[in-house]
Amino acid sequence: MRVALRELPQMGTGQPISILLVEDYEDAREMYAEMFSLTGYRVVCARDGQEALDRASAERFDVIVMDVALPKVDGIRVIQTLRSRPETKSTAIIALSATVGELVHKAAIAAGADMFCEKPCPPDQLEDDVRKLLARRKPDHQR
């Protein structure tokens, strides 16, 4: 896969944009993590909902990209929990799901996701969605 390097949106800190990537399927997690890393993001991965909550408590992320179907704690519950915490209530969240249908999409948005992407989601499309979300949220997301 060839990825064109583009200038990343600035978040006002001089630091790379940080992404918490929550995906239980190893191949997808590695593919998305590699793409984000190659395009200049700092990526931290979690394999399940509990690990996502632990990592989000330990450090601040600019964006959380989260599968909805996760072991231990499902993605909808993780999103609800993140939205209830002062330190993560305004973090940008993109929900991913291979489950097709309006119910999953609506549940993710109702839980607090800013955006929903249906799998399979090509890596370049996901990166573009991250850019769009950050551009929309930039004024109120400055650290």
Side-chain angles (χ1 to χ4, degrees), residues 30-105:
E30 289 176 0
M31 175 184 62
Y32 291 137
E34 180 176 347
M35 184 273 312
F36 283 129
S37 294
L38 286 172
T39 52
Y41 295 89
R42 185 178 75 78
V43 182
V44 174
C45 295
R47 293 173 292 241
D48 60 58
Q50 186 58 55
E51 186 177 0
L53 290 170
D54 294 344
R55 291 193 183 272
S57 292
E59 72 179 282
R60 181 167 176 177
F61 295 93
D62 297 302
V63 181
I64 298 172
V65 176
M66 176 171 317
D67 189 8
V68 172
L70 294 169
K72 296 188 181 177
V73 182
D74 72 82
I76 299 297
R77 175 64 117 214
V78 173
I79 294 168
Q80 291 170 331
T81 302
L82 293 171
R83 289 296 182 231
S84 73
R85 295 178 176 173
E87 66 274 12
T88 55
K89 71 179 181 179
S90 64
T91 303
I93 299 174
I94 297 177
L96 300 171
S97 180
T99 304
V100 179
E102 276 298 303
L103 289 177
V104 174
H105 179 191

Side-chain angles (χ1 to χ4, degrees), residues 106-119:
K106 286 181 179 181
I109 298 300
D114 297 288
M115 188 179 282
F116 180 86
C117 296
E118 201 171 282
K119 288 180 179 179

